[in-house]
Amino acid sequence: MSIRHLGFLTPGNFAEGDAYAGFEAALKLFEFGEKLGFDGAWVRQRHLERGVSSAATFLAAATQRTRRIELGAAVIQMGYENPFRLAEDLATVDVLSRGRLQVGLSAGAPLHGALLGNRFYDAAPNIVDFTHKRVGRLKANLEDAWLGDEETFVESAGGRVRPRVQPHAPGLVDRLWYGGGSLRSVEWAGRNGFNLLLGNVLSGETTSDFLNAQLGLVERYRQSETDTRRGRIALGRVIVPLDGADAATRKRYRAFAAGRVERTLEPQGERRTLFATDLVGTADEILERLRKDPVLPHVHELRVELPYNFSGDEYEQILSDLSRRIAPELGWRSF
């Protein structure tokens, strides 16, 4: 077991009517994580919730508050996005970060599309392609390619230029990730040269055991890769160490975990959705469970998923305990 890259994922949520405070707290957490030596800081993107609805905008701000740490979005649901316009936004953020951006993506129709109706749709939903092809279109826009032929130019006040997506962000196309939760999705990711994000939710297609199902996803992804460059795999786990917390906070952490146990006991719904068990306990207890995790030996990147609605001080305590008491025992060394 050798974890070489340690990241964290924060929800970036906020109280009703005070979005600024929530965003500022999340930006400060990025700064704090960088000081602790974390290799990556990721933010969730959510729609119609009290959280970050535009990861690109948030991460643009993060580029000015950090210098070294990778900046990630997990995940951008492409059903809500225009592949050309998003490519421009992401390339701009990557240039501002000097090549630190990591972009997690997913396919599928927008979850809240029916609710949004004509606030969102410009055409009948049944004729819009929300499949993996939409993700592929984003990747194509980020590639270093001129539009048209050698005689194609765009005239503007800035001069006569050959057209391509601007700014061009060299290397960003190799830092695209796909959030894989099914055999089909990870196979597509491997075949099309995307890195792989694994989280704490997946489809129980061949087994009711979460860890065995996730191990199968890793194997299918590796078998599907056609590029000579082996993709990165980042494993997400909800980890909440108790060591640095006071008695009242420890009690609340355990209550949080207890409230989520039932969903892990059996597949949920028609799609047989499986949920991972949260790792809440002392550093020694968490390490014992991680060492028994059959997926961990197959990856070198661990991404800790922070729970919703904890305070900034609690997030800092969790990250401190992780970086000092847990990750070094898994082989990680800070930058």
Side-chain angles (χ1 to χ4, degrees):
M1 187 179 299
S2 178
I3 296 301
R4 303 169 190 164
H5 190 285
L6 182 66
F8 65 90
L9 170 65
T10 183
N13 53 297
F14 52 84
E16 187 67 49
D18 199 4
Y20 176 83
F23 293 158
E24 178 64 17
L27 289 169
K28 286 182 177 178
L29 193 65
F30 274 40
E31 294 177 280
F32 183 76
E34 183 170 75
K35 290 177 182 177
L36 289 178
F38 276 78
D39 302 288
W42 296 65
V43 68
R44 294 184 184 274
Q45 176 166 299
R46 289 287 192 267
H47 299 289
L48 304 185
E49 300 178 20
R50 294 194 305 272
V52 175
S53 57
S54 173
T57 307
F58 176 86
L59 294 175
T63 67
Q64 307 305 294
R65 304 277 287 266
T66 58
R67 292 292 175 266
R68 175 196 59 80
I69 199 167
E70 290 183 347
L71 305 173
V75 293
I76 297 174
Q77 302 169 45
M78 283 303 300
Y80 287 101
E81 307 289 346
N82 179 290
F84 168 69
R85 276 293 300 118
L86 181 61
E88 291 182 321
D89 289 347
L90 294 175
T92 300
V93 177
D94 193 49
V95 169
L96 288 171
S97 73
R98 300 197 175 188
R100 291 185 284 138
L101 185 62
Q102 309 289 325
V103 183
L105 303 161
S106 69
L111 179 63
H112 303 300
L115 175 62
L116 289 167
N118 61 14
R119 289 172 178 256
F120 172 74
Y121 288 115
D122 293 318
N126 63 324
I127 66 173
V128 180
D129 188 349
F130 292 121
T131 68
H132 289 125
K133 291 180 181 179
R134 198 175 190 86
V135 183
R137 287 165 56 197
L138 173 72
K139 183 178 182 181
N141 277 314
L142 290 171
E143 292 172 347
D144 187 13
W146 299 107
L147 303 179
D149 56 29
E150 294 182 357
E151 302 302 319
T152 302
F153 291 89
V154 170
E155 303 279 356
S156 74
R160 188 169 186 258
V161 298
R162 290 276 310 276
R164 69 174 179 182
V165 174
Q166 295 285 7
H168 175 58
L172 180 55
V173 72
D174 295 323
R175 285 177 271 117
L176 300 180
W177 300 70
Y178 194 83
S182 69
L183 292 169
R184 177 173 174 268
S185 65
V186 300
E187 182 174 339
W188 182 88
R191 194 169 62 247
N192 289 276
F194 285 75
N195 303 304
L196 181 62
L197 289 174
L198 296 174
N200 64 348
V201 184
L202 52 77
S203 297
E205 299 164 276
T206 61
T207 175
S208 296
D209 182 272
F210 178 92
L211 294 176
N212 285 334
Q214 196 164 65
L215 184 59
L217 296 182
V218 173
E219 293 171 347
R220 178 66 62 89
Y221 174 74
R222 288 303 187 201
Q223 293 166 0
S224 303
E225 288 184 294
T226 57
D227 202 325
T228 55
R229 182 188 71 88
R230 282 172 64 84
R232 294 167 60 181
I233 302 177
L235 179 64
R237 290 283 184 266
V238 176
I239 302 177
V240 182
L242 304 176
D243 303 77
D246 59 30
T249 303
R250 288 186 175 204
K251 183 177 180 180
R252 195 155 64 81
Y253 286 171
R254 291 195 184 279
F256 157 79
R260 287 158 51 99
V261 168
E262 186 174 351
R263 68 178 191 167
T264 70
L265 302 180
E266 60 183 2
Q268 303 292 308
E270 294 181 0
R271 300 183 64 180
R272 291 178 49 81
T273 301
L274 301 178
F275 292 90
T277 302
D278 301 324
L279 303 181
V280 179
T282 65
D284 288 342
E285 290 170 339
I286 290 171
L287 283 166
E288 182 179 1
R289 293 171 68 182
L290 286 173
R291 290 179 178 125
K292 295 177 181 178
D293 189 322
V295 185
L296 208 56
H298 295 270
V299 302
H300 299 297
E301 304 193 27
L302 179 63
R303 196 178 85 260
V304 178
E305 301 184 1
L306 297 173
Y308 280 80
N309 299 322
F310 282 17
S311 71
D313 288 343
E314 289 166 343
Y315 287 140
E316 289 187 4
Q317 173 258 310
I318 291 170
L319 294 186
S320 295
D321 282 355
L322 280 162
S323 65
R324 295 168 182 164
R325 302 171 186 266
I326 296 175
E329 298 299 318
L330 301 174
W332 177 75
R333 296 293 179 266
S334 62
F335 183 82

